Amino acid sequence: MGALEMDIRFLQGVGPKRAALLGSELEIHTVGDLIRLYPFRYIDRSTIHPIASVRPDMAYVQILAAVTEVRLTGGGRMKRLSVIVEDGSGQMEIIFFKGLKWIAEKLEKGRTFIFFGKASLYNGRINMVHPEVDAAPAPGSSQVSAAGNLTGVYTSTEKLKNAGITGKVMNRLMDAALGLALPEIQESLPDYLIREKGLVPLRFALRQIHFPSSQDSLAKATARLKFEELFYLQLALLKQKYVRSRNENGIPMPRVGEAFHKCYDNLPFGLTGAQKRVIKEIRGDMTGGRQMNRLLQGDVGSGKTMVAVLTALIAVGNGFQACIMAPTEVLARQHFDNVSRYLGPTGVNAALLTGSTGSAARREIHAGLLDGSVGIIIGTHALLEDDVKFRALGLAIIDEQHRFGVEQRSRLWSKGAGGRVPHVLVMTATPIPRTLAMTLYGDLDVSVIDEMPPGRKPVKTIQASEGKRQAVYKFMKDQIALGRQAFVVYPLIFESEKLDLQNLEKGYEDITEAFPFPPYKVAIVHGKQSNEEKNFNMAAFVAGRADILVSTTVIEVGVDVPNASVMVIESAERFGLSQLHQLRGRVGRGSDAAFCILMKGIKVSKESQKRIDLMCSTEDGFEMAEADMKMRGPGDLEGTQQSGLPIALNIASLAHDGMILSEARSCAADILDKDPDLSSAENAVLLKELRKDKYNVRDYSRIS
Ligand code: ADP
Ligand code: MG
């Protein structure tokens, strides 16, 4: 067995107890695991701070000071060692709670040491708790610390620290691990790639990432390791995509068909350039002989429905049926109304199937699906039921993917014509940053509608605090007087449904008080209502029978009320950016000016304020998604149905390494183009790497 596979327990300085902790806390079981734990930052130990300049908000500081007093205080568990040190610029108290005897002996009065740690403020004075202590450098020596200048800092936990695995110990373990393992490390990228990209060799990178000899070599090591990580991620994803496109035949749909043309020629408007491009991409898939597996991204209002209709008509034109599935009844009905309007000139028959479809109508629809007289079926989860059978289902369109589970989707796939998986188009209005889409959906085809239909009015977004509430109400009244409608949305606080409801009910009371009936009509929708009640209230607002809709975020997805011109978001600081953006997208759909008012609570964190400011400064969903990812990291992006990535990234960041990612992806694509099976000798190393467990990319981005 090689050093890389060696149990971490046997590494010098570890032992069974620490090994168990390294395993449970950091998933480090072998020496090989250890050397792949990279520092998350580096401390520049070349600088000595005068005590007088030390502030509690500095990260880590290093002082060079003489011990003037050593005092043991307290008793029992409160026992501690207080050491006063002095460097000419000032004095500082240094406190130890553990290892008191040993430290007291070491810190001889009058001697000078280097203390390295985090300064904190206690009783109005700056002190340092449990710093690392090093001997002072010999006079005239240029190196201030025996540890070298750039010192890696590793993730740690309370338990690890308690077991004595301090930063310093970690550095020592790492040194020992590298000593054993480096000679065994084999280059993991092909030679030609290393040359082409000007990368440093793996061994050099691994040594330098832990013990950089300079900023420059640290940068080279980092670049190499990031590239490698993103490259293999993309290679794994793209390889899957290649394999699938070769192996899975799609239901053949060679024609565009008459229905498509009849609809297209009678549209009340011209398609945007982006819609045209996307339809071309979809046509290419469906006529190309392989099964379509495409994600359609487009901001709220970008015109995805139109694309869905034309796509469905391609299927119909080839003798197949299409289904469009929406997450809620209201949305399904809305789709049905829109789709039916476009279908007028085509003669294609559409039907709506939801939970509230009566049994007689249901039987009729079932029959129509079986005999093929229903060409396009639109509905909710009701479409998944076993007794929904098709004559020839060729296409499934799913709106707002993240509302469906994998299992539900596969029930739909099993209904495909001739037992084949239908073509699949998933539509989402959640803008996902490009780098994230490339990774989450790396093996899917992605189409983006990045252009809004003409004539859309921008939504004016403003923020207001409690003091402005009456002015906001006055403004809403003015809009209602103009015949417009308003949304008022309350956040969900997940910890407590009870509180949510109280919050909402209180808001509803406030609103009905400020907007009394008559003349004002206020509807309320929330998660605790029955579906019937929800649909009833929602429908009242959609039809214009209510002026104001008070709700929790249930309206987030899709509802189209062109007459609504005001979106008031209460406690806006509690919402995530993409949610705020989605909510804002509910207005500005008619031709009138629209407004989004972000009401702020009393306590607004810096982060929340940043989100609110960003909302006020841009309407571009992609720009916001990028900014959101930079603020919070890709793992936390809401709306992306998967919060995790296909593989855990160890060093690269989707938020910050977009350039490297693009390069890595195109590099991986070039290689697969030339050598799809990676069977050439020079690519042998690629295959070997891909076989490793971590690149066994989970297939959960796959939508069919
Ligand atoms: P999405 O589903 O992407 O949020 P919709 O498909 O509901 O957007 O379209 C929003 C509105 O824009 C609808 O009223 C639709 O009729 C209209 N629309 C779509 N495409 C165009 C276009 N090319 N030109 C003008 N209006 C369009
Ligand atoms: Mg839509």
Side-chain angles (χ1 to χ4, degrees), residues 538-556:
M538 198 80 119
F541 187 68
V542 172
R545 290 193 299 274
D547 307 297
I548 299 176
L549 181 72
V550 176
S551 76
T552 48
T553 48
V554 287
I555 55 155
E556 182 192 342

Side-chain angles (χ1 to χ4, degrees), residues 269-272 275 298-306 342 453-454 456 560 589:
F269 42 70
L271 295 187
T272 62
Q275 284 171 316
D299 221 332
V300 179
S302 61
K304 293 186 292 296
T305 313
M306 195 61 253
Y342 295 127
R456 190 164 297 268
D560 206 357
R589 314 194 114 201

Side-chain angles (χ1 to χ4, degrees), residues 405-659:
V406 175
E407 207 172 298
Q408 291 172 318
R409 288 184 248 142
S410 67
R411 267 157 77 187
L412 194 52
W413 307 166
S414 67
K415 297 175 192 284
R420 268 179 299 186
V421 178
H423 295 291
V424 178
L425 180 69
V426 169
M427 307 195 287
T428 172
T430 309
I432 302 168
R434 212 174 43 93
T435 55
L436 193 58
M438 267 189 220
T439 306
L440 281 180
Y441 306 112
D443 71 329
L444 291 187
D445 298 302
V446 180
S447 290
V448 181
I449 307 187
D450 51 5
E451 181 187 354
M452 286 292 184
R456 190 164 297 268
K457 295 280 190 309
V459 180
K460 188 166 168 39
T461 305
I462 51 171
Q463 44 185 305
S465 32
E466 205 46 45
K468 290 276 163 60
R469 182 169 294 278
Q470 292 315 314
V472 170
Y473 286 168
K474 166 80 171 58
F475 178 76
M476 288 165 67
K477 284 178 179 170
D478 291 345
Q479 286 289 305
I480 293 170
L482 291 171
R484 304 276 153 240
Q485 291 164 281
F487 291 102
V488 180
V489 179
Y490 287 83
L492 281 177
I493 316 153
F494 289 102
E495 296 93 72
S496 160
E497 279 183 34
K498 220 171 170 182
L499 265 182
D500 287 349
L501 207 58
Q502 273 175 14
N503 200 22
L504 182 71
E505 276 167 357
K506 167 91 175 47
Y508 181 61
E509 262 168 43
D510 286 354
I511 295 282
T512 44
E513 212 164 279
F515 296 83
F517 174 83
Y520 298 106
K521 282 160 286 174
V522 183
I524 181 168
V525 170
H526 58 77
K528 283 273 137 168
Q529 290 170 332
S530 68
N531 274 341
E532 265 164 35
E533 209 177 341
K534 229 184 285 181
N535 287 336
F536 179 84
N537 288 324
M538 198 80 119
F541 187 68
V542 172
R545 290 193 299 274
D547 307 297
I548 299 176
L549 181 72
V550 176
S551 76
T552 48
T553 48
V554 287
I555 55 155
E556 182 192 342
V557 178
V559 196
D560 206 357
V561 187
N563 191 49
S565 64
V566 187
M567 168 63 65
V568 178
I569 303 177
E570 295 286 346
S571 308
E573 72 277 5
R574 296 235 180 104
F575 289 87
L577 200 51
S578 92
Q579 229 178 355
L580 289 172
H581 179 65
Q582 293 272 311
L583 287 170
R584 174 168 60 185
R586 299 293 119 225
V587 294
R589 314 194 114 201
S591 52
D592 286 72
F595 306 88
C596 177
I597 300 167
L598 305 174
M599 296 300 298
K600 293 191 287 187
I602 302 162
K603 272 195 199 146
V604 179
S605 71
K606 246 192 204 163
E607 283 277 291
S608 305
Q609 187 57 50
K610 265 199 219 161
R611 289 200 295 274
I612 291 173
D613 290 342
L614 193 65
M615 275 286 289
C616 295
S617 69
T618 178
E619 262 196 82
D620 182 324
F622 284 95
E623 193 182 321
M624 302 212 326
E626 289 283 348
D628 201 19
M629 184 163 79
K630 292 217 162 83
M631 273 188 244
R632 305 188 309 143
D636 283 335
L637 280 198
E638 353 131 39
T640 61
Q641 132 213 45
Q642 302 89 346
S643 53
L645 297 169
I647 70 165
L649 293 176
N650 195 12
I651 184 166
S653 140
L654 293 182
H656 299 108
D657 300 319
M659 295 275 279

Side-chain angles (χ1 to χ4, degrees), residues 320-357:
F320 293 93
Q321 291 160 295
C323 71
I324 302 178
M325 195 149 85
T328 67
E329 182 140 356
V330 173
L331 265 178
R333 182 169 299 278
Q334 206 159 69
H335 274 316
F336 176 72
D337 292 342
N338 288 333
V339 171
S340 302
R341 201 165 341 116
Y342 295 127
L343 290 186
T346 65
V348 173
N349 194 10
L352 174 69
L353 183 68
T354 70
S356 56
T357 306

Side-chain angles (χ1 to χ4, degrees), residues 688-699:
K688 192 172 144 210
E689 279 295 306
L690 281 184
R691 285 207 193 97
K692 290 189 178 161
D693 276 352
K694 66 175 163 174
Y695 295 119
N696 190 0
V697 177
R698 263 174 292 156
D699 211 1

